[in-house]
Structure formats: structure tokens, C-alpha cells
């Protein structure tokens, strides 16, 4: 991922720690206080570009994610909500499946496809990197 793809340039996307390219495009102006007292926007939205042949690492987010297809096809492996991911189910986000739910606290990763894919991800309560866990190698 050393060179930014043309669509990432056009949309001003940055490298995402999990893989792919992203930019937050919206955050709700309304906040919610979580059970532990932390405050988050009620929802956030990003563009996420996964270039052909690339994938993302196993990771999980503390909130529900709705993936919304714009172009291409993203296959998302779900790995359960245990200590470590175990591939269990694959979801497809594309024009025929334009909305996909990844439940809160579930491991997920994308797998490579033959074409670039652009999606948006709506996260509620809103995304914060403090609520993001990337699987440790090994």
C-alpha cells in the first residue's frame, strides 16, 4: 500500500490500520454516553476503498457496523466474538447485497477480490479508535 490508488486520491482517502483506504465523511452532532461513561457521536460514516487483490486484517469494533455498497464487491469474513477470530461466515456487500450488518464486538476481515471495491461504513454508536482491536500476529 505504498502508492495511493487514483480513487483514494480523488476521495482524499488515507491508509487504514486494518488495510485498505478510508476517510471519515460524517459524524453525528448528537452524542451518546456509553455504559462506561465514555462519550461517542450517535453514529459515524466513512468511505472505505479496498483495491483489487488487497484484504484487511482481523479486527473488531465495539459498535455495530452497516456496510453500504457503492461499487465492486467486498467479501467480509466474520470470526465470532471470542478471544481470537475463527472464520465462521462470509457476508457479501455489493450491488445485489447493498447493506450488510457486522455486529458489535465480532471479529471481521475482508478477503481479496478481482476488482476495486468502494463501500461506506456506518458505525453506531460512532467509531473511535479506542473501540478498535486489531488481532495480534501469531
Amino acid at each position: 500500500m505504498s502508492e495511493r490508488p487514483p480513487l483514494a486520491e480523488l476521495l482524499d482517502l488515507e491508509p487504514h490500520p486494518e488495510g485498505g483506504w478510508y476517510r471519515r465523511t460524517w459524524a453525528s452532532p448528537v452524542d451518546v454516553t456509553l455504559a462506561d461513561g465514555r462519550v461517542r457521536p450517535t453514529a459515524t460514516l466513512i468511505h472505505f476503498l479496498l483495491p483489487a487483490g488487497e484484504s484487511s486484517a482481523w479486527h473488531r469494533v465495539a459498535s455495530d457496523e452497516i456496510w453500504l455498497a457503492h461499487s465492486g464487491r467486498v467479501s467480509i469474513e466474520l470470526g465470532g466474538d471470542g478471544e481470537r477470530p475463527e472464520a465462521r461466515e462470509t457476508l457479501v456487500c455489493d450491488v445485489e447485497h447493498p447493506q450488510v450488518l457486522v455486529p458489535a464486538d465480532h471479529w471481521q476481515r475482508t478477503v481479496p477480490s478481482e476488482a476495486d471495491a468502494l463501500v461506506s461504513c456506518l458505525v453506531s454508536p460512532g467509531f473511535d479508535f479506542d473501540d478498535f482491536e486489531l488481532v495480534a500476529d501469531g
Side-chain angles (χ1 to χ4, degrees):
M1 255 194 331
S2 58
E3 189 173 319
R4 192 155 69 156
L7 187 54
E9 284 280 344
L10 180 69
L11 297 174
D12 195 27
L13 307 180
E14 299 294 328
H16 197 292
E18 75 193 40
W21 300 82
Y22 84 107
R23 179 173 58 88
R24 182 180 279 187
T25 58
W26 176 78
S28 172
V30 178
D31 288 336
V32 61
T33 301
L34 305 178
D36 63 8
R38 295 177 299 151
V39 176
R40 299 283 183 265
T42 54
T44 56
L45 185 67
I46 66 167
H47 282 319
F48 182 71
L49 173 65
L50 193 63
E54 291 189 19
S55 61
S56 69
W58 280 112
H59 64 284
R60 61 179 165 186
V61 175
S63 300
D64 285 343
E65 287 185 57
I66 303 286
W67 289 55
L68 305 164
H70 297 297
S71 66
R73 173 188 182 106
V74 176
S75 296
I76 307 158
E77 286 188 333
L78 297 183
D81 60 357
E83 283 292 313
R84 304 274 303 169
E86 297 178 19
R88 298 179 180 178
E89 177 182 6
T90 300
L91 307 174
V92 173
C93 186
D94 61 12
V95 69
E96 293 177 9
H97 310 92
Q99 295 181 2
V100 173
L101 171 66
V102 175
D105 295 316
H106 278 67
W107 292 106
Q108 61 178 296
R109 70 177 175 187
T110 60
V111 295
S113 69
E114 296 177 7
D116 292 355
L118 178 66
V119 298
S120 288
C121 294
L122 178 72
V123 178
S124 181
F127 180 83
D128 188 292
F129 275 103
D130 287 344
D131 302 328
F132 173 82
E133 182 180 0
L134 194 60
V135 75
D137 288 334

